[in-house]
Amino acid sequence: MSNHEALLKVDSLTVRHESVARSVAALTDVSLAMQAGEWLGLIGESGSGKSTLLRAILRMLPPTSLQSGRVCFQGRDVATLDEPGLTRLRGGSIGFMPQQAVAALNPVRTVGSQVAELFRLRLGLAATAARLRSLELLERFHLPDSLRVFESYPHQLSGGMCQRVVLAMAMALEPQLLLADEPTSSLDAGLRLDLLDEIRIQQRRRNLAVLFVSHDLDLVERYADRLAMLQGGRMAMTGDRR
Ligand code: ADP
Ligand code: MG
């Protein structure tokens, strides 16, 4: 990839969600580009297509969703990726914090077993090595007393800590791009800034690109280098932070 080529390029993306009852034009002719290390804030009202865009980037839309246009990551059209290529993309080169990710943590398994599983499945680490890597990861994301966090069930941790665990998991395989879908909506004001400060540390340390989705304009403006706004599935504006 040359220096000038975008890390992520979305060209004329159009997505319709089809069901027996209705057909929803979720995205219409959406284009955007992101460079390495850049923080793009994506805003838009509920239903404007933000989550659809993130899922389209990862090719995670349901099979009933019809799509045209192109998504390229590191110069490669994601539509051409085979299964191993897609696996490397999802959670590998692109970290993903889905909307309501904390609710997606398995409530009947310890946090540690869920983090360690990632290292076992994705990096083929044996149990002991995966455990060590997990503890190290939790520490790196400033989860105090990482051993206690490792052995806790999600309900034993605060919302802020759970969201930090979700961030750590999204970052575990050292992605070049983080897609964060309303990662702070369940947190109170102070914890919001804590989490975003943590993402900013990662952004600067590793030249991570961040696509941050929120409907909180103040929050987006505080962190983003650039803003994009979806309105009814169309890109209503893009521009530098004021
Ligand atoms: P946002 O994240 O901005 O709230 P979404 O991308 O979730 O918006 O949704 C955009 C539109 O697509 C909404 O009208 C929503 O109801 C519809 N939609 C999203 N996902 C699906 C789906 N899997 N099946 C049918 N409709 C969907
Ligand atoms: Mg959404």
Side-chain angles (χ1 to χ4, degrees):
M1 193 175 72
S2 81
N3 285 338
H4 302 293
E5 201 172 340
L7 178 68
L8 173 73
K9 204 159 183 300
V10 175
D11 280 315
S12 299
L13 184 67
T14 294
V15 175
R16 298 191 71 84
H17 296 301
E18 302 282 349
S19 66
V20 182
R22 59 186 196 142
S23 163
V24 178
L27 293 175
T28 306
D29 200 22
V30 167
S31 299
L32 68 86
M34 284 185 71
Q35 308 298 326
E38 170 178 55
W39 185 312
L40 178 67
L42 177 64
I43 54 176
E45 285 174 7
S46 180
S48 58
K50 305 179 299 296
S51 298
T52 298
L53 176 58
L54 265 48
R55 289 185 177 272
I57 291 168
L58 291 166
R59 262 181 63 190
M60 284 171 66
L61 290 173
T64 46
S65 299
L66 305 178
Q67 181 180 332
S68 68
R70 219 154 64 115
V71 175
C72 290
F73 183 72
Q74 294 179 318
R76 245 187 111 174
D77 186 341
V78 300
T80 66
L81 295 174
D82 56 8
E83 276 304 318
L86 270 179
T87 303
R88 280 194 298 275
L89 186 79
R90 297 176 184 148
S93 9
I94 302 184
F96 184 36
M97 296 176 78
Q99 207 169 349
Q100 259 108 55
V102 168
L105 286 174
N106 189 331
V108 298
R109 288 179 56 200
T110 61
V111 162
S113 74
Q114 299 181 58
V115 179
E117 183 178 75
L118 198 71
F119 288 118
R120 284 194 291 107
L121 295 182
R122 299 296 296 264
L123 299 182
L125 297 187
T128 311
R131 181 186 166 86
L132 287 176
R133 268 298 269 279
S134 306
L135 287 168
E136 195 183 278
L137 179 74
L138 296 174
E139 248 157 57
R140 188 143 40 88
F141 282 84
H142 304 111
L143 283 148
D145 196 356
S146 57
L147 188 59
R148 184 183 73 82
V149 173
F150 187 91
E151 288 171 349
S152 296
Y153 291 89
H155 74 267
Q156 295 173 315
L157 301 177
S158 68
M161 284 173 97
C162 278
Q163 198 55 280
R164 234 165 230 271
V165 168
V166 168
L167 172 64
M169 289 174 80
M171 295 295 297
L173 304 180
E174 314 218 320
Q176 279 90 55
L177 170 65
L178 174 67
L179 305 180
D181 197 349
E182 311 212 21
T184 59
S185 55
S186 63
L187 303 178
D188 65 37
L191 290 174
R192 271 182 198 172
L193 300 186
D194 276 357
L195 188 86
L196 292 171
D197 286 345
E198 186 65 57
I199 296 178
R200 184 145 70 183
I201 291 169
Q202 301 298 321
Q203 178 202 13
R204 297 199 170 147
R205 189 177 292 161
R206 312 190 34 250
N207 202 31
L208 173 75
V210 179
L211 178 45
F212 170 64
V213 171
S214 176
H215 50 248
D216 183 340
L217 182 59
D218 287 342
L219 204 58
V220 171
E221 284 199 311
R222 197 166 168 148
Y223 289 87
D225 303 309
R226 258 185 336 121
L227 304 179
M229 182 164 88
L230 280 172
Q231 212 164 49
R234 289 177 190 271
M235 199 55 94
M237 69 100 184
T238 56
D240 290 338
R241 187 171 55 174
R242 276 178 277 150

